[in-house]
Amino acid sequence: MGGEAYLNLGKPNNGGTKLFSVSGHVNRPGNYEVPMGTPFAKLLEMAGGMRGGRKLKAVIPGGSSAPVLPADVMMDCTMDYDSIAKAGSMLGSGAVIVMDETVCMVKALERLSYFYFEESCGQCTPCREGSGWLYRVVHRIEHGQGRPEDLDLLNRVTDNMMGKTICALADAAAFPVRSFIKHFKSEFEYHIENKKCLVDPEVQRMGSGFFKAGAA
Amino acid sequence: MVEIEIDGKTLQVAEGSTIIEAAHQLGTYIPHFCYHKKLSIAANCRMCLVQVEKAPKPMPACATPVTNGMKVFTHSELAVKAQKAVMEFLLINHPLDCPICDQGGECQLQDLAVGYGESASKYEEEKRVVPDKDLGPLVSTDMTRCINCTRCIRFTAEIAGFMELGQSYRGERAEVMPFIGKTVDTELSGNIIDLCPVGALTSKPFRFSARTWELSRRKSVSPHDGLGSNLIVQTKHDKVMRVLPLENEDINECWLTDKERFSYQGLNSPERLTKPMVKQGGEWKEVDWSVALDYAAHALRDVAKTHGGGAIGGLLSPHATLEEMYLAQKLLRGLGSENIDFRLRQSDFSADGKRKGAPWLGMKIADIGRLDRVLVVGSFLRKDHPLIAQRLRQSAKRGAQVSILHSADDDLLIKLAARAIAAPSQLPAILAQVVKAVCAIKGVAADTAVAGVTVSADAQAIAQSLASGSRAAVLLGNFAQQHPQATTLHALGRQLASALGGSFGFLGEAANSVGGYVAKAVSGAAGLNAAAMLKDPRQAYVVVGAEPELDCADGAQALAALAKAAAVVVLSPFRSQAMLDYAAVLLPVSPFSETSGTFVNTEGRVQSFFAATKPLGEARPAWKVLRVLGNLLEQAGFNYNSSEDVRAEALGGQPEFASGLDNGIDGVALNLASTVGGLERLADVPIHFADSLSRRAPALQLAADSVAPSARMSAALLAKLGVAAGDKVKVGAGATVTVTLAARLDAGLPDGVVRIAAAHADTAALGAMSSVLSVEKA
Ligand code: SF4
Ligand code: SF4
Ligand code: FES
C-alpha cells in the first residue's frame, strides 16, 4: 500500500494503524488492528461490547502501567496518542484493559501494585523500596486496615519514585496508584472508612470471569 | 576539557568525567552510596541525584557525563527533594537500630541520614528481614542492613578478579550472597568491609569490640610483603583493635590484603614474649632486662673471644625494621662477624659481590599500571603480592598483556597473554628460550649461552607477546629469588628486559627486602650468607625477629644448626617451642605496632612509622635493645637517642627513596642446567604462614588460604604413584626424613613436581624448599 497511504490511514501526528489487545470485561477479548483515531466506542464494539451488558467503569488504555481513565472520559477518546494523552493517560503498549461496574478499584489497584512489587528488579532504591511500600499500603486498605492519611501517603511515595530510577518501572508502578486515587478517590475513601469494598463482594464475584453470567 | 557550572561555580573538567567527579574536583560533596572511584558505575542507589539544567528529571551525578556548558545544581529544591526521597526509601526497610549495629558511628547511611533523613519514619508496614550469610572467618554479615549498593559485588568481580558475591532474587527480596555453600575467599576479601557503606559487612574479628570514637589512630606501614601498604592502626587502651588502609594511590591505593588487615590479631597472641628469659641449667627463668642483656652480651663476647667473631652468625627477619637490621649488622660487625643475612629463604647467593646495588622493583609501583607487556617469572603472584597482582589485573583489562613463567598454574584471576609452566629446574632454560626468541624478533644479538637453546612454543608465545609492546617489564617473584639458580634467572631477566628496551625488577618478598640491603644486613665478602652460616654451623647466633625453622630456605638445617650452637640470642616478639629449645636467651622485642621504625619497600620508598601502642609487658623496641647490647659490648657509635638517629645514619639522611638501588650484576656465568633426577619439590610459602605475625593471627589461620599443607601433584603423577587424591602419602627427603601428608590433585602442576608448602610446622622436617623428594603411598 505504500508508506504514505499507510500513514494516511490514521490521523495527523498519529499515522497508520495500531494493534490493540483488548482484555477484561468484554465479550470478545482479543487483538484488533484499527486505524489510529478510531473512537474507543468503536473498538469496544469490535470487541463484542461489555460482557453481560454491564456498565463500563474504567479503562486502562495502554498497558497496566498507563493511568486508568474513567468510563466517561474514555468514551470521549479516540484511540491515538494525542487523544489519550490529552485525557491524562497514554496509549503505551496498546493493551486495553476494560473494567466494568463489578470491579472494586481498590482491589484492582492492589493487584496491579502487587505485580509491580514483584516485577521490580531491585536495582534502584526508589523502585525496590517504593514498589513494596505501595503494595503494602494498598493491600492494607483493601483488607480494611486503611487509614485516612494513606491516600496522601501513596501520592507522596509515588511522587518520590517517579523519574528517579534507571528504567521506567518505578514510574510504571506509580502511575496506576496515582490515577486510581485521582479518578476513584471516593471509592478508596469509602474503603478506608467502612473497611470494605464499595462494590459488594457478591457483585464483584458475579463480574469475575469465573462466574459466568446466569450461572450464579 | 569541557567547562561546566556546579552550583554557580564554573570549572574545567576532563571530557568524559561524570558530574560527581567534577564536583569532587570542586570540593562539592554529593551524597552517594553505590559510587566508588575504583569501581564501575552502577547508579543503583540513586542517592546522588542532582538537578541538571534542561533535564526534566533529576540526574544521577555518578553516571551522568559532563557536557560543555552543563549547569548542575546539587542543592536546588529539585535535587534536595530527590535526595531526601531516596534517603527515605533507603531507610524504610532499614533496621534503624544503630546502637546495636557494629557500623554505628562510621556508617555512611547514618551520616547521610542526619543530613537528608526525617526524624521519624512514615513507613509503618512490616520491614524486610534478610538472612545472614556465611562469608568465612573474616567478614561478618548483617544482611538486613544491606542497601543493595552492589559495591561488594563489584569489588569481588572487578578488583579481586572473581565474582564471589552476587545478587539473588529480585525487587525488595534481592539479596547479596556468595555462591551456595561458598564463602568469600580471596586474599583481598576484607576490603568489602570498608566498601560496604552500612553495617551489612563488618569485620568478624573486630565486630562489637569497640566503637570508632573510642579508638585512637596511628599511621603505620604494613610489615608483610614488599609493597609497604600504608595502614591506620586503631588502638584502645594500648591494644591494637583494628587495622584499616591509609589511602596511598602510589602504593596500596585504598586497599589492603587480608593479611595486612587481620594480622594484628597476632600482636596479642598468647605466644607473645613479655619478659626477658634466660636458660640456666636447661631451665627457663624470667629475669630482669639487665640480667638478660648482660647474659646475652657475655655469651656473644665469650664466643667472639674464644672462637673469633666469625663464629657468630646473624639471622635477621626481612620483616625487621631498617633500624633493627642496621643496628644488628653493626653489632655483629663490631664483634668481628661478617656472617649477617636477612635473605633467609634465598638459596643462590652467587650474585653477592657482583651486584651493582640493592635489588628492587626497578620502577615505581605506580608505573606498573603503565606497562603494556609484563612477564612475571617464578611467582605465586596472587598470594605473594596480592595488590601488585591487582594492579596487573586492571592493566590486563585495559589491554596490557601479562604472561607468566612459573612452576604452578594457580589462577591469578588475570587474563594471561601467554604462559609457560614447567618444573622448577626448567625455569632458567625456558627463560633463556624467551630471551633467545625476543632477541631474534628484535634482531639483537643474544648472549652466547642462550644461543644454544631450542625455543619451545610456550617460550615463543611469551616472546611474541613481550616483543609486540612498547613498555615491557620482566618481574622476578619470590619463587625466582628463592630458586637455586636465582642468579641465572636474574641475569636472564635483565637480558630479556634490555632486549625489549623495557625494565627489570624484583617483587620484594618482605617489608624490608630492599631495606635489608640498604641497612647492609648482608654478609660481607669474608662472611657467610644465610644458607652458608646454617650449613656450616656457628658457635653462636643472633636471631632478630625470625623463626629460622620456618623462615629459612632449609628450616630443618636451620633448626639443627641452632640446636648445636653454644649460644643463641633471640630477639623476638614471640616465643615458640623451637625457640625455647635452641635459644639461650630470649629478649622480648616489639612487633611493628610497638616500635618506631622504617621499611624500605620494593620500589625503594623509605617509609617510617611510629609506635601505635606501648610495648606489651616488658617487651621493648628491638632498636633500643640492640643499642644497649652495643653499649654493653662497649662498641663505639651506639649512642643513639632515637630510632630517627639510627635511620639517619643508615640512610645518610632522610631521603624519600633509598639510594643505591640497582639491579645490575656483572660477570655471572649462566647456569642453564636442568637435570634433577627425581620428583622436584615446589615449595610455596602460603600467604598466612609467611611471617611470624600472620602465623599467629587466629582469623587468618581459619581462612581458605590457610589449609594444612598437602602433597599436590598432577593427575598423571598421582596415577603413576598409584595414589588417589585424599590418600595419605609418605614424602621423603634425603635418607632419613619422612613426612606424611594428604595427596591432592593440582591440575596446574607439571609432571614430576610435588608441591608442598614451606613455612609450616607440618612440612618443616622436609628441609630445603628446593629438593628432590620421594613419594609413596602411606
Ligand atoms: S526502576 Fe527498573 S532498573 Fe530500577 S529497580 Fe526498578 S525495575 Fe530495576
Ligand atoms: S552488603 Fe554492603 S556493599 Fe554489599 S550491596 Fe549490601 S550495602 Fe552494598
Ligand atoms: S551514587 Fe549515583 S546512583 Fe548511587
Side-chain angles (χ1 to χ4, degrees), chain A residues 118 129 136 147 156 159, chain B residues 81 88 93 124 170:
Chain A
E118 280 290 328
E129 306 294 337
R136 288 200 178 87
R147 301 169 197 146
R156 202 177 61 83
D159 192 37
Chain B
K81 187 166 175 262
E88 178 176 30
N93 272 308
E124 294 178 5
R170 61 173 187 244

Side-chain angles (χ1 to χ4, degrees), chain B residues 729-753:
Chain B
V729 288
K730 269 198 282 201
V731 182
T736 50
V737 195
T738 52
V739 164
T740 305
L741 295 167
R744 295 256 177 274
L745 172 67
D746 184 336
L749 290 176
D751 293 342
V753 169

Side-chain angles (χ1 to χ4, degrees), chain A residues 131-202:
Chain A
S131 57
W133 197 351
L134 294 180
Y135 165 66
R136 288 200 178 87
V137 174
V138 178
H139 177 83
R140 217 165 21 73
I141 299 174
E142 169 63 18
H143 288 84
Q145 312 277 316
R147 301 169 197 146
E149 62 277 12
D150 279 348
L151 300 183
D152 286 345
L153 177 70
L154 287 171
N155 274 326
R156 202 177 61 83
V157 173
T158 54
D159 192 37
N160 283 343
M161 289 169 73
M162 289 187 307
K164 296 183 183 63
T165 51
I166 294 175
C167 87
L169 197 108
D171 297 66
F175 288 152
V177 175
R178 294 175 78 82
S179 59
F180 271 67
I181 294 178
K182 179 171 163 205
H183 295 299
F184 300 93
K185 190 161 190 184
S186 57
E187 208 170 311
F188 282 82
E189 285 168 347
Y190 179 92
H191 226 305
I192 290 171
E193 204 172 315
N194 300 293
K195 310 196 184 307
K196 61 176 192 196
C197 300
L198 180 64
V199 181
D200 190 285
E202 271 311 306

Side-chain angles (χ1 to χ4, degrees), chain A residues 55-135:
Chain A
K55 220 174 121 206
L56 179 69
K57 182 170 186 175
V59 175
I60 302 176
S64 72
S65 65
V68 69
L69 293 175
D72 52 337
V73 178
M74 200 60 207
M75 289 308 278
D76 288 343
C77 284
T78 53
M79 297 307 282
D80 57 79
Y81 294 107
D82 291 342
S83 170
I84 299 289
K86 208 164 139 231
S89 186
M90 54 194 194
L91 207 52
S93 66
V96 180
I97 302 167
V98 178
M99 292 177 270
D100 71 17
E101 58 193 339
T102 66
V103 169
C104 167
M105 294 311 271
V106 180
K107 187 160 194 159
L109 179 61
E110 185 204 10
R111 187 62 192 78
L112 287 172
S113 292
Y114 183 67
F115 172 80
Y116 288 104
F117 167 54
E118 280 290 328
E119 282 304 295
S120 169
C121 81
Q123 273 197 88
C124 317
T125 305
C127 173
R128 178 184 66 241
E129 306 294 337
S131 57
W133 197 351
L134 294 180
Y135 165 66

Side-chain angles (χ1 to χ4, degrees), chain B residues 220-282:
Chain B
S220 193
V221 179
S222 161
H224 299 292
D225 66 39
L227 194 76
S229 291
N230 290 190
L231 310 178
I232 298 175
V233 175
Q234 301 191 323
T235 64
K236 182 178 160 185
H237 306 319
D238 266 317
K239 183 173 168 197
V240 176
M241 303 299 290
R242 179 165 70 171
V243 168
L244 295 176
L246 175 63
E247 193 170 337
N248 187 336
E249 202 49 33
D250 293 334
I251 301 175
N252 50 311
E253 304 171 70
C254 51
W255 314 124
L256 283 187
T257 64
D258 288 350
K259 176 156 72 174
E260 292 164 331
R261 184 182 300 270
F262 296 108
S263 69
Y264 73 86
Q265 280 194 304
L267 298 170
N268 302 308
S269 152
E271 288 183 348
R272 273 297 297 274
L273 261 179
T274 53
K275 276 198 179 287
M277 292 164 77
V278 297
K279 203 193 264 168
Q280 279 171 342

Side-chain angles (χ1 to χ4, degrees), chain B residues 436-485:
Chain B
K436 182 177 172 186
V438 164
C439 288
I441 297 171
K442 293 282 182 188
V444 297
D447 188 310
T448 46
V450 308
V453 301
T454 313
V455 178
S456 65
D458 287 346
Q460 185 66 33
I462 293 176
Q464 244 139 13
S465 163
L466 288 172
S468 64
S470 55
R471 292 178 310 281
V474 180
L475 298 171
L476 260 51
N478 298 356
F479 185 71
Q481 295 167 56
Q482 293 155 2
H483 195 278
Q485 287 143 287

